[in-house]
Amino acid sequence: MATVWDTLTNLVSGLGGAKDKATYDQFVLLAMDKAQIEAAYRSDWIARKIVDIPPHDETRAGREWQATAEQIASIEALEKEVGFWGKLARARRLARLYGGGALVLGMKDGEHDQPLNIEAVRKGDLAYLLAFSCHELQAGEIDRQFDSPNFGLPKTYQVSIAEAPVTVHHSRVVRFVGAALPDMNLHAQAQGWGDSVIQSCYDAIHNAGIVTQGAATMVQEAKLDIVRVPNLSQHLNTAAGTTLIQNRFSNANKLKSLINTLLLDKEEEWERKQTSFAHFPELIDRYLQVAAGAADIPATRLLGQAPQGMSSTGDGDYKNYLDRISAGQEIEIRPALATLDEVLIRSALGARPGEIYYNWAPLWQQSEKERADVFKTKADAARAIAGNGQSPILMPIEALSDALVNELIEDGSLSGLEAAIETYGGLSDQEEDEVDLSGAALPAPNGRQETSDAAPRTLYVSRRVLNAAEIIDHFKAQGLESAIPADELHVTITFSRAPVDWMQMGENWSGDGEGNLTIQAGGPRMMDRFGDATVLLFASTTLAWRHEDMRRNGASWDHFEYQPHVTITWAPGVSVDDIEPWRGEIRLGPEIFAEVNDDWKSGVVEE
């Protein structure tokens, strides 16, 4: 049977053949022992950061418990008491450094060598947590029972560094593995532990160190003086000649220092050579980036350097890295902590409420703008769920209010919100008996006066033009025969035939603090015809956003888009091509809310 090689060969060049040196390359595992691993961790900054950074990022943000405020406070108090986060971070570091790390649960029953009965855990039973490396926990008998959840792992561990040996049952041990081994036999040989993460990164770390150290050494050789001496070899053949040469150039250097001149014999030649470091930064950076790639940590995080390249921020690489950290939290840490979390909840609360769970807190730190955008999105979502008077309410307002308050407290969107709610109460705290049988609202607790939303109705919102007289004079000076009276000149913001709750329309947007708004002179202005009306068109971002805000809150609009304008006249036959638009200020008064009146035009008499 012929042998088939799955590789690239070339008989002419020798590629892949006997003459190809690479043909004889092979991978060899040079296993690092405990002393080498510790030496690398303690003496090499890259090795130390490769070990330390991921555990720090895994634990720095904590987790968000989903429970009542009292339950969360009790759980987090116990976490603080037993040093949960510090011990967890240490166990994860030890796992990455040595290939294995663990947390040992210290229970008040003191029966370390007995199986842990989670159902029997009561309030205050968790006394302490201890973090150990795999070298400090000697594995006992391996569990060979195939259907055992602990199959292939030690049944017990012995704490070797205790004053007296202590045997601990595996159910009281939270295990973490460093770099997982590929084979079950290797896994068993390592007593269920793995490799140090430094093992697979060693060559990259070592090479980066060599290049960095080599560059530092060459700095000392950056300037080299060369002196050519006739018959130098003959002088060095004797001790006296060697001493003579040494004294000669020692004195020459001293004279050079004194008079800033190098004195040489006529037959001697002097030359200075300098080493160029032009390409060393790129070379060093390249080897450091290889080390970062081997560690699967972005260079911006591992090296603390600024992103490189055009328009590069490094956010993409860092977010990908944080996604990997988040995946590790879910795939590795959460299952490993399952027993400890059950004990933690029962020891903190005295029971195990089924509805309690947690989410890992976000690792990506949002900017102020991003937090503001998230807050607005949540508020808009809550408003949409609450309905606008036309669509049905999807859930009780009290439930929505409490859920939104809890969410805003958890993400810290509003400082002091939790204390304010405790002082004034939430919407669900209001008792039904605060309204009597007649429907009249009674005084609310803390002196607050409760009001109910107004009944939905149609809505017409406008602003009067305060400088209408001069605007009308401008158009009449161009031959316009009649115009809308000055006290009727206005700008329409909303014309909603659909009934809405006026209280949901938000506050008046003002430019001067008194409800007025000034459209500055200049900008796009033009005359146009809207049906029978002659109108002045102008641009105003403020009015456009205010219109859109009301539409988001349920107001309707009969037209395809909104264009701010002032109707000047309803007179027929006006040619807008012959009229020059008003280009001065347009001063507008406060918003006026009224119900829609479809017959309003009949009451307008032009002057």
Side-chain angles (χ1 to χ4, degrees):
M1 182 177 66
T3 302
V4 178
W5 298 93
D6 185 16
T7 187
L8 183 65
T9 62
N10 188 307
L11 298 178
V12 176
S13 67
L15 176 66
K19 294 182 179 180
D20 187 353
K21 296 178 181 179
T23 302
Y24 301 95
D25 289 346
Q26 58 182 326
F27 287 101
V28 177
L29 176 64
L30 300 176
M32 300 178 68
D33 59 23
K34 182 173 181 289
Q36 289 177 301
I37 290 172
E38 290 176 346
Y41 181 74
R42 296 176 65 184
S43 64
D44 189 275
W45 66 273
I46 300 179
R48 191 180 192 96
K49 294 187 77 172
I50 287 174
V51 170
D52 289 351
I53 285 177
H56 171 77
D57 290 335
E58 289 168 347
T59 57
R60 62 176 168 81
R63 50 189 180 180
E64 298 171 345
W65 287 98
Q66 305 301 309
T68 66
E70 294 79 8
Q71 291 171 333
I72 294 174
S74 298
I75 294 172
E76 291 180 345
L78 182 55
E79 287 180 337
K80 184 176 181 180
E81 180 182 338
V82 298
F84 174 83
W85 289 108
K87 302 289 178 60
L88 175 60
R90 175 171 172 75
R92 293 290 292 171
R93 282 198 303 270
L94 293 173
R96 289 178 62 81
L97 179 60
Y98 292 112
L103 290 173
V104 173
L105 282 64
M107 307 299 294
K108 286 189 176 178
D109 60 16
E111 298 177 351
H112 309 294
D113 58 344
Q114 298 300 312
L116 177 62
N117 183 0
I118 297 178
E119 297 296 332
V121 175
R122 296 294 178 262
K123 189 168 185 176
D125 278 356
L126 179 61
Y128 56 87
L129 287 176
L130 296 175
F132 295 107
S133 74
C134 58
H135 296 291
E136 296 165 334
L137 290 177
Q138 296 180 356
E141 180 186 358
I142 300 299
D143 190 344
R144 304 294 182 183
Q145 185 176 344
F146 186 72
D147 58 354
S148 170
N150 195 53
F151 173 71
L153 299 176
K155 294 180 179 179
T156 60
Y157 299 85
Q158 191 172 70
V159 181
S160 59
I161 61 173
E163 183 177 357
V166 177
T167 300
V168 182
H169 192 267
H170 74 83
S171 61
R172 299 171 186 255
V173 177
V174 178
R175 296 166 35 86
F176 299 107
V177 177
L181 296 173
D183 184 81
M184 193 68 180
N185 292 323
L186 293 174
H187 187 68
Q189 292 173 17
Q191 299 180 339
W193 305 112
D195 275 337
S196 168
V197 295
I198 298 177
Q199 177 71 60
S200 61
C201 300
Y202 175 76
D203 285 344
I205 297 172
H206 182 63
N207 291 338
I210 289 176
V211 173
T212 304
Q213 186 61 40
T217 301
M218 292 188 67
V219 170
Q220 302 178 24
E221 305 292 335
K223 179 181 71 66
L224 182 64
D225 290 337
I226 300 175
V227 179
R228 296 181 178 87
V229 180
N231 303 319
L232 176 63
S233 59
Q234 296 179 12
H235 289 297
L236 297 178
N237 283 336
T238 64
T242 301
T243 302
L244 182 64
I245 290 294
Q246 291 176 344
N247 292 338
R248 162 76 179 86
F249 288 101
S250 176
N251 291 330
N253 279 330
K254 290 179 181 178
L255 286 172
K256 180 182 178 182
S257 300
L258 289 173
I259 63 177
N260 199 28
T261 301
L262 179 63
L263 297 177
L264 297 175
D265 190 270
K266 182 179 179 181
E267 302 298 327
E268 295 173 334
E269 297 180 10
W270 173 83
E271 180 184 354
R272 170 172 290 174
K273 288 189 176 181
Q274 290 185 326
T275 302
S276 173
F277 294 93
H279 300 292
F280 266 68
E282 291 82 0
L283 181 64
I284 294 173
D285 284 348
R286 185 59 55 87
Y287 274 90
L288 290 175
Q289 288 172 9
V290 169
D296 203 11
I297 301 175
T300 51
R301 180 73 177 93
L302 180 66
L303 308 178
Q305 69 181 25
Q308 300 178 1
M310 295 181 62
S311 303
S312 176
T313 64
D315 286 355
D317 291 342
Y318 188 50
K319 284 185 176 180
N320 289 338
Y321 162 71
L322 292 182
D323 286 344
R324 186 182 66 78
I325 293 294
S326 297
Q329 288 176 328
E330 288 295 329
I331 297 172
E332 299 175 19
I333 302 180
R334 186 189 289 269
L337 292 178
T339 298
L340 174 55
D341 286 339
E342 289 296 315
V343 171
L344 193 68
I345 294 172
R346 295 170 189 271
S347 187
L349 306 179
R352 187 15 172 138
E355 67 275 10
I356 293 181
Y357 67 98
Y358 70 85
N359 295 317
W360 294 100
L363 297 174
W364 179 257
Q365 300 298 316
Q366 295 176 321
S367 65
E368 289 293 334
K369 183 181 184 304
E370 288 173 330
R371 284 195 289 269
D373 289 342
V374 170
F375 175 77
K376 183 179 185 302
T377 300
K378 291 179 179 179
D380 289 345
R383 186 180 296 114
I385 294 173
N388 56 20
Q390 304 173 64
S391 57
I393 298 176
L394 301 180
M395 67 178 68
I397 295 298
E398 293 81 0
L400 175 62
S401 173
D402 287 355
L404 182 60
V405 166
N406 288 337
E407 179 70 15
L408 297 179
I409 290 174
E410 285 295 326
D411 63 18
S413 296
L414 296 177
S415 301
L417 177 60
E418 186 171 11
I421 292 295
E422 290 180 358
T423 301
Y424 300 105
L427 185 61
S428 61
D429 297 327
Q430 301 171 18
E431 300 294 337
E432 292 182 0
D433 57 6
E434 290 182 2
V435 178
D436 65 16
L437 296 179
S438 66
L442 300 177
N446 304 316
R448 293 179 289 117
Q449 180 64 41
E450 298 294 331
T451 61
S452 59
D453 289 344
R457 62 189 74 180
T458 60
L459 176 62
Y460 173 55
V461 180
S462 63
R463 285 179 180 265
R464 296 282 174 82
V465 179
L466 302 182
N467 60 332
E470 60 178 328
I471 294 176
I472 291 174
D473 289 344
H474 163 79
F475 288 111
K476 285 191 173 183
Q478 298 182 66
L480 194 67
E481 295 183 359
S482 65
I484 292 176
D487 59 354
E488 294 289 341
L489 213 62
H490 66 276
V491 173
T492 298
I493 300 172
T494 295
F495 191 94
S496 176
R497 300 182 189 278
V500 294
D501 183 348
W502 289 12
M503 297 300 106
Q504 298 296 321
M505 294 299 106
E507 295 182 82
N508 174 26
W509 290 12
S510 169
D512 65 354
E514 296 181 359
N516 300 321
L517 176 66
T518 298
I519 309 301
Q520 299 298 326
R525 304 284 178 91
M526 63 182 298
M527 303 302 295
D528 202 353
R529 295 282 295 183
F530 283 3
D532 295 333
T534 300
V535 300
L536 168 66
L537 306 182
F538 61 93
S540 171
T541 303
T542 301
L543 293 178
W545 276 107
R546 180 61 169 137
H547 170 85
E548 289 300 325
D549 184 58
M550 289 186 173
R551 290 185 68 177
R552 281 196 297 268
N553 286 301
S556 64
W557 185 247
D558 292 344
H559 307 285
F560 178 72
E561 62 181 0
Y562 173 75
Q563 169 61 59
H565 66 276
V566 176
T567 299
I568 304 300
T569 181
W570 288 91
V574 176
S575 175
V576 296
D577 295 334
D578 300 330
I579 301 177
E580 180 69 20
W582 169 258
R583 303 190 185 278
E585 287 185 344
I586 304 175
R587 297 192 294 275
L588 304 175
E591 290 180 351
I592 300 174
F593 278 52
E595 291 193 61
V596 170
N597 177 12
D598 286 320
D599 194 35
W600 65 272
K601 182 180 174 182
S602 62
V604 176
V605 179
E606 295 195 3
E607 299 175 347

